[in-house]
Amino acid sequence: MLNRRQFLGVVAASVSTRAASLRAAQSSEWGSSVFDLHFHLREEPAANIAHLDGAGITNANLLTRATAGARVTAVQAAAPGRFTWFCSADPSRPESIEALTRSVKAGARGFGEMKYHLAANGVEFRRAYALAAEMKVPILIHFQDVDHFENEGTWGSGFARDFERILKTYPNTTFIGHADAFWANVSADYHNEAAYPSGPIVRGGITDKLLGDYPNLYGDLSANSGNNMLSRDPEYTADFLRRHQSKLLFGSDCACTDGHGGSARQANNPAASRLTGKCVARETLTILKRSASQQIFRKVVWDNARTLLKLTS
Ligand SMILES: [Zn+2]
Ligand SMILES: [Zn+2]
């Protein structure tokens, strides 16, 4: 006979087994569990879950502001085990260092998305790099030197010129690079001509070299920037995924509502109109799937993020 505690244990195990097999079924569309590293927190818990379920994604990392604690808790309660979170705060504001520190103590697994009108090599961002090392969490940065619309201004500017020096200066900081300047600079012929360059990639670009040379640098493949880079040159893409298979992380940065491209407008970003009406998650997973072996695909869409965010269970 089972006593009451054992009986409840059996019930709980069978419920969690059912939940696990449901999750496995949801992710089987891609032949692997999928972790979306770059998912901006949405207002309603259900809206967050709808995108994951619609796109066949198992788990996601919520990118939030320091003020979003209660909303993160609500999403995590609505879908236990499916959401981790990063926190961002403007490093030019003195109170941000305290806010970032508090967020890690409250369970954030990294800083991000750090997207600010500041130089990547400036004193403000440097404070955040040092804090990330001290707190032992990765920092995800948006690098952009070309405006998407008039007078937008740059974000984390100076990547091509300055970032190697930063990697050298902060060897104990784990950096995750993202956005236009990061991915355009895989090609050696890029000089800020466009937000999203097209055509075959010239080998020897800065980002490719840095990913190979610096163990503290990872690449977040989200958004049009990552999708565009992966779309330019199929031969290069397959080789790039093979060479950096332990350094690349799938992310969507998708704004569609349903995981099928619903309401996806790229409104403030005309140069990214190729993804209008499409789910960025689906588009990028499709390219990764056809460009990599099953083993490499699984590393990029699941294992690498789990390792980097120290998610062992
Ligand atoms: Zn971004
Ligand atoms: Zn989507």
Side-chain angles (χ1 to χ4, degrees):
M1 281 286 283
L2 299 176
N3 66 28
R4 182 177 155 77
R5 177 172 297 192
Q6 286 165 331
F7 173 74
L8 290 175
V10 169
V11 171
S14 103
V15 168
S16 77
T17 305
R18 274 206 304 279
S21 63
L22 180 64
R23 277 201 297 278
Q26 283 163 347
S27 62
S28 65
E29 172 177 2
W30 302 106
S32 163
S33 299
V34 173
F35 188 99
D36 183 350
L37 180 79
H38 196 124
F39 186 79
H40 289 281
L41 174 66
R42 299 171 181 199
E43 193 64 40
E44 296 301 323
N48 295 274
I49 298 162
H51 191 269
L52 268 63
D53 289 346
I57 291 171
T58 324
N59 291 353
N61 187 46
L62 303 166
L63 304 181
T64 75
R65 302 273 175 182
T67 49
R71 282 161 62 203
V72 171
T73 307
V75 179
Q76 289 179 322
R82 294 187 77 182
F83 292 96
T84 52
W85 59 292
F86 279 12
C87 180
S88 75
D90 181 347
S92 70
R93 302 174 69 91
E95 68 273 19
S96 292
I97 293 299
E98 176 56 31
L100 290 168
T101 305
R102 255 199 328 269
S103 74
V104 172
K105 289 181 178 160
R109 302 211 170 238
F111 298 162
E113 166 181 15
M114 298 296 278
K115 179 178 180 180
Y116 298 101
H117 292 299
L118 299 168
N121 196 29
V123 63
E124 301 91 347
F125 256 118
R126 283 171 169 262
R127 271 201 291 270
Y129 305 153
L131 184 66
E134 190 188 321
M135 304 297 296
K136 298 188 168 59
V137 292
I139 178 166
L140 194 169
I141 305 162
H142 180 112
F143 295 108
Q144 182 184 329
D145 284 310
V146 177
D147 289 6
H148 290 171
F149 52 87
E150 207 169 83
N151 299 323
E152 178 185 9
T154 57
W155 307 90
S157 58
F159 168 79
R161 185 188 60 229
D162 297 329
F163 201 60
E164 180 158 21
R165 191 152 27 116
I166 294 166
L167 288 166
K168 279 199 173 101
T169 309
Y170 297 93
N172 299 321
T173 301
T174 300
F175 294 91
I176 306 173
H178 147 79
D180 311 13
F182 189 79
W183 290 122
N185 277 294
V186 295
S187 193
D189 61 351
Y190 181 68
H191 304 289
N192 287 343
E193 300 90 345
Y196 309 113
S198 55
I201 288 171
V202 177
R203 302 250 171 178
I206 293 163
T207 301
D208 196 329
K209 185 174 176 308
L210 296 180
L211 282 167
D213 290 350
Y214 292 88
N216 57 332
L217 177 63
Y218 291 75
D220 159 3
L221 295 165
S222 67
N224 184 57
S225 53
N227 183 283
N228 181 66
M229 182 277 289
L230 294 167
S231 304
R232 292 175 62 182
D233 186 334
E235 200 181 316
Y236 176 86
T237 296
D239 182 54
F240 180 80
L241 292 170
R242 188 183 51 71
R243 287 185 292 113
H244 301 304
Q245 59 182 270
S246 301
K247 307 294 285 300
L248 301 173
L249 307 152
F250 166 73
S252 74
D253 203 1
C254 190
C256 91
T257 52
D258 55 3
H260 291 276
S263 307
R265 288 196 306 274
Q266 303 283 350
N268 274 334
N269 193 358
S273 62
R274 54 192 282 279
L275 291 178
T276 298
K278 295 181 175 168
C279 174
V280 186
R282 286 189 165 278
E283 295 300 309
T284 297
L285 285 165
T286 300
I287 300 175
L288 291 172
K289 186 100 182 140
R290 70 163 179 257
S291 308
S293 68
Q294 178 59 20
Q295 191 200 358
I296 292 175
F297 178 76
R298 187 181 161 90
K299 287 177 77 171
V300 172
V301 307
W302 183 253
D303 294 334
N304 294 345
R306 306 269 307 168
T307 304
L308 192 63
L309 272 56
K310 304 189 177 103
L311 303 167
T312 46
S313 60

